[in-house]
């Protein structure tokens, strides 16, 4: 359902390429307990954006360098790549001490040098904190690198506020090189903290995306020295090294500098989030989805939405949610990892998680689906209904105020208002099974494990504690007693007791209620 990526070469894997993704850093500037690359952008951990690019462009021979919170990062990567093409040729390598980006790349050498396969002709190196980078830009960079016969090709961007980034220092600092084309007058990259005041005013920054020739990369990395403000081995120093060795260095400048945004701080994280959210909305608008107030609609990057589906303001679609064609999702509903068929209507304020909703079903307002729910075709779930691990049959209805958990409910069943499956005995969960076309009267409790046979009727207010045979009536409630006139008498008595004290006139006796209203009768 996802619209395909446009652009030259999309989908083609570039051969002779090794890819290194750097994802070992702590991300101190995030002021977080969590490793920076695990912070999410549009619902997806940042590191996966770089991994996606690697898989799209090279498809194989990918090394991801992890370090800080290595196990957590590894888990996220593993979960993502299971079953994907290229998964078997992805290596996660550990940078035990984070001694800089040059040192990070160096850790990947055994992946490429230690096998029988020929060493890659070129390496694509990606920062793990640049989630806005596009596939076509990376392809453009690779094309420039190979057509120019460069040793090092860097991606650059012109920023109004370049602070924090490495600056690209050129022979002609007058900006005459601008325009997005490859150019080759680069001398070096200087990190912000190492830059002189004159270098600091340079607005052209290093994006952190590189293509380096196979012959040049690892020998150069082996010669890096930590002579800088941070005492680290900077990958960026290979540019100066190549220039010194009279090797060709090429720079490709981004047309849209936003794409080069690196995420080092929460502010940058928020800014990247805004940009990606807007891109995602535009992608789905272009694919035929209606949004009444696009800016208020949140769609995670892993979501897909069908044609002619209408999203009202403040709808949130998270995780791997898939929405079919011609659905209507009203305001303030949030769907996480759900699969929704076609022509489904989800009214306002529904919270749905890890559930499946088949075609033509209607949900809401105020429905809460917890994981494991299947709402079958044309079924209806109304206000204040909570479900969990429940299969609601085709055309069945649970329209008001119910809890249905661990239940299998047949087709055409009517679940009356206030029905509760009592699925938990304090220790274990138990199953409720309701056959096709059962009528469950309002305010019924089904004490699980329990089975109600096909076509049975359960009288309102029944606590069902025994299985109900098919086509039977189950009724379990106290027999009703009507006390004729009781209420009228009580009313009179109440009026008297609240009236101001009066001396009864002669001949009148105060009326006595037949029964005391307190404590007796119901
Ligand atoms: C880096 C570049 C800078 C560029 C900027 C673009 C260097 C020395 N500087 O700076 O020129 O403008 O990116 O956003 O490369 N990492 C490791 N191991 C380490 C250190 C970092 O794997 O020892 C990873 C991080 O997890 C991150 C990436 O490398 O994904 C970049 O590191 P970061 O600390 O963000 O570098 P910047 O200061 O942003
Ligand atoms: Mg960074």
């Amino acid at each position: 359902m996802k619209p395909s990526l446009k652009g030259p070469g999309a989908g083609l894997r570039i051969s002779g390429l090794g890819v290194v993704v750097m994802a070992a850093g702590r991300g101190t500037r995030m002021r977080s307990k969590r490793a920076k690359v695990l912070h999410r952008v549009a619902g997806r951990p940042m590191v996966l954006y770089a991994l996606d690019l690697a898989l799209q462009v090279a498809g194989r021979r990918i090394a991801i360098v992890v370090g800080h919170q290595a196990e957590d990062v590894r888990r996220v990567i593993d979960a993502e790549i299971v079953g994907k093409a290229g998964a078997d040729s992805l290596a996660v390598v550990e940078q035990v001490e984070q001694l800089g980006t040059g040192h990070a790349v160096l850790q990947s050498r055994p992946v490429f040098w230690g096998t029988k396969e020929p060493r890659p002709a070129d390496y694509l190196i990606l920062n793990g904190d640049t989630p806005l980078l596009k596939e076509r830009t990376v392809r453009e960079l690779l094309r420039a690198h190979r057509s120019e016969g460069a040793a090092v090709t860097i991606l650059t961007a012109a920023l109004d506020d370049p602070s924090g980034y490495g600056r690209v220092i050129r022979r002609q600092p007058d900006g005459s090189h601008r325009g997005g084309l490859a150019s080759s007058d680069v001398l070096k990259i200087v990190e912000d903290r190492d830059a002189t005041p004159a270098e600091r005013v340079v607005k052209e920054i290093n994006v952190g995306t590189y293509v380096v020739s196979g012959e040049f990369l690892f020998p150069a990395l082996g010669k890096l020295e930590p002579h800088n403000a941070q005492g680290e081995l900077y990958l960026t120093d290979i540019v100066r090294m190549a220039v010194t060795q009279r090797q060709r260095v090429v720079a490709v400048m981004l047309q849209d500098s936003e794409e080069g945004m690196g995420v080092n701080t929460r502010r940058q994280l928020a800014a990247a989030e805004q940009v990606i959210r807007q891109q995602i909305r535009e992608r789905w608008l272009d694919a035929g989805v209606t949004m009444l107030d696009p800016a208020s609609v949140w769609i995670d990057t892993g979501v897909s939405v069908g044609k002619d589906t209408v999203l009202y303001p403040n709808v949130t679609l998270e995780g791997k949610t898939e929405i079919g064609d011609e659905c209507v999702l009203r305001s303030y509903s949030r769907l996480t990892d759900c699969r929704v068929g076609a022509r489904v209507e989800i009214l306002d304020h529904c919270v749905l998680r890890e559930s499946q909703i088949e075609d033509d079903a209607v949900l809401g307002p105020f429905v809460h689906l917890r994981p494991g729910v299947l709402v079958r075709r044309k079924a209806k779930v109304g206000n204040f209904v909570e479900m969990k691990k429940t299969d609601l049959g085709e055309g069945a209805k649970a329209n008001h105020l119910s809890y249905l958990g661990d239940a299998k409910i047949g087709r055409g069943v009517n679940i009356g208002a206030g029905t509760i499956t009592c699925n938990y005995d304090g220790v274990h969960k138990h199953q409720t099974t309701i056959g096709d076309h059962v009528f469950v009267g309002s305010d019924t409790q089904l004490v699980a494990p329990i089975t109600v046979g096909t076509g049975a009727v359960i009288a309102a207010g029944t606590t069902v504690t025994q299985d109900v045979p098919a086509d039977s009536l189950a009724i379990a409630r106290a027999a009703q007693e009507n006390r004729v006139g009781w209420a009228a008498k009580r009313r009179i008595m109440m009026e008297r007791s609240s009236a101001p004290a009066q001396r009864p006139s002669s001949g009148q006796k105060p009326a006595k209620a037949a029964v005391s209203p307190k404590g007796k009768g119901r």
Side-chain angles (χ1 to χ4, degrees):
M1 255 184 285
K2 264 186 193 176
S4 64
L5 178 141
K6 305 276 181 345
L12 292 176
R13 302 274 154 77
I14 295 173
S15 62
L17 199 61
V19 187
V20 185
V21 175
M22 293 178 283
R26 167 196 284 271
T28 314
R29 290 162 282 181
M30 293 291 281
R31 305 209 192 294
S32 174
K33 283 186 186 156
R34 200 180 328 155
K36 178 171 68 176
V37 293
L38 292 180
H39 281 263
R40 288 167 187 269
V41 178
R44 199 161 161 73
M46 235 185 311
V47 63
L48 298 182
Y49 287 84
L51 176 61
D52 285 344
L53 281 180
L55 288 168
Q56 285 157 3
V57 173
R60 55 189 305 279
R61 302 197 85 179
I62 299 162
I64 304 198
V65 186
V66 301
H68 188 68
Q69 294 180 356
E71 282 316 304
D72 294 341
V73 180
R74 201 186 282 262
R75 211 172 303 123
V76 164
I77 294 165
D78 286 348
E80 180 63 22
I81 58 160
V82 184
K84 274 198 179 168
D88 52 341
S89 66
L90 183 136
V92 179
V93 292
E94 192 160 350
Q95 183 193 21
V96 179
E97 265 188 291
Q98 287 82 59
L99 303 177
T101 47
H103 181 256
V105 177
L106 206 47
Q107 308 311 303
S108 71
R109 185 169 57 190
V111 173
F112 304 106
W113 283 22
T115 67
K116 284 188 187 129
E117 263 195 272
R119 293 176 183 172
D122 301 292
Y123 293 92
L124 168 67
I125 303 171
L126 302 168
N127 273 0
D129 64 351
T130 314
L132 303 182
L133 194 64
K134 295 203 171 103
E135 181 187 343
R136 60 168 165 264
T137 303
V138 173
R139 288 182 183 278
E140 170 66 31
L141 196 71
L142 279 154
R143 224 181 344 264
H145 178 81
R146 289 192 171 172
S147 67
E148 299 269 338
V152 182
T153 301
I154 60 170
L155 186 63
T156 76
L159 296 187
D160 290 336
D161 176 13
S163 55
Y165 290 94
R167 310 296 205 283
V168 178
I169 309 301
R170 294 178 178 258
R171 250 174 232 119
Q172 304 158 280
D174 60 353
S176 59
H177 54 273
R178 293 207 175 158
L181 298 172
S183 56
S184 57
D185 59 348
V186 173
L187 291 176
K188 60 178 175 178
I189 294 171
V190 180
E191 290 309 300
D192 189 75
R193 286 163 71 174
D194 302 299
T196 63
E199 287 167 339
R200 216 165 265 150
V201 296
V202 170
K203 291 189 183 301
E204 187 181 12
I205 61 103
N206 165 36
V207 168
T209 308
Y210 319 80
V211 184
V212 185
S213 86
E215 281 153 25
F216 183 74
L217 180 66
F218 288 111
L221 291 177
K223 290 181 217 143
L224 289 177
E225 303 256 4
H227 301 317
N228 52 58
Q230 301 187 77
E232 291 185 351
L233 299 178
Y234 288 165
L235 172 61
T236 44
D237 283 349
I238 66 169
V239 170
R240 187 181 1 217
M241 226 181 263
V243 171
T244 313
Q245 292 175 23
R246 300 191 174 280
Q247 302 255 22
R248 192 160 174 75
V249 174
V250 167
V252 174
M253 190 186 262
L254 277 173
Q255 309 276 344
D256 171 14
S257 55
E258 201 171 58
E259 208 187 311
M261 187 196 295
V263 175
N264 297 315
T265 63
R266 303 273 183 165
R267 283 181 190 229
Q268 287 167 331
L269 182 70
E273 179 84 18
Q274 290 293 329
V275 174
I276 291 196
R277 293 277 176 199
Q278 181 59 14
Q279 287 171 357
I280 294 171
R281 287 191 286 261
E282 285 171 4
R283 172 150 53 96
W284 293 114
L285 288 165
D286 292 347
V289 175
T290 293
M291 296 178 209
L292 281 80
D293 175 22
S296 73
V297 173
W298 282 55
I299 307 176
D300 277 3
T301 180
V303 168
S304 68
V305 190
K307 272 205 180 86
D308 290 315
T309 282
V310 179
L311 305 178
Y312 276 75
N314 297 296
V315 163
T316 302
L317 304 176
E318 295 181 333
K320 293 191 162 70
T321 294
E322 290 174 24
I323 312 277
D325 292 350
E326 297 177 72
C327 294
V328 176
L329 279 77
R330 293 286 186 152
S331 297
Y332 300 103
S333 286
R334 171 157 60 91
L335 283 72
T336 308
D337 296 321
C338 287
R339 266 170 58 208
V340 177
R343 299 172 302 282
V344 169
E345 204 176 340
I346 296 173
L347 302 177
D348 312 59
H349 295 276
C350 292
V351 177
L352 318 181
R353 178 172 203 104
E354 293 169 48
S355 291
Q356 187 185 344
I357 297 137
E358 292 186 350
D359 297 352
D360 302 296
V362 181
L363 273 76
F366 301 100
V367 164
H368 184 192
L369 300 188
R370 290 160 51 206
V373 172
L374 170 59
V375 176
R376 293 185 189 255
R377 284 184 60 242
K378 296 194 178 173
K380 280 189 169 177
V381 186
N383 41 203
F384 307 107
V385 173
E386 174 187 347
M387 297 211 262
K388 183 216 74 169
K389 280 195 192 156
T390 284
D391 176 342
L392 184 67
E394 187 173 329
K397 289 178 195 163
N399 273 337
H400 333 264
L401 300 157
S402 289
Y403 170 63
L404 304 169
D406 302 298
K408 166 102 179 78
I409 300 169
R411 46 169 66 201
V413 168
N414 184 84
I415 301 283
T419 297
I420 309 284
T421 54
C422 310
N423 60 331
Y424 185 47
D425 60 12
V427 182
H428 298 108
K429 297 283 169 70
H430 301 284
Q431 189 73 19
T432 298
T433 306
I434 300 177
D436 294 346
H437 305 295
V438 165
F439 180 92
V440 179
S442 297
D443 194 22
T444 290
Q445 299 100 55
L446 297 141
V447 182
I450 201 99
T451 299
V452 180
T454 305
V457 170
I458 298 172
T462 293
T463 300
V464 185
T465 51
Q466 300 165 34
D467 287 354
V468 181
D471 297 318
S472 311
L473 168 71
I475 179 162
R477 60 191 181 207
Q480 183 173 327
E481 178 194 352
N482 288 340
R483 298 180 182 185
V484 176
W486 184 95
K489 285 175 191 162
R490 176 176 179 264
R491 200 158 45 241
I492 292 165
M493 199 187 77
M494 304 271 283
E495 278 164 12
R496 292 233 174 109
S497 66
S498 63
Q502 270 180 2
R503 190 179 284 178
S505 59
S506 59
Q508 265 188 329
K509 269 187 176 178
K512 242 189 188 176
V515 224
S516 157
K518 276 189 198 159
K520 282 191 190 169
R522 281 214 289 160

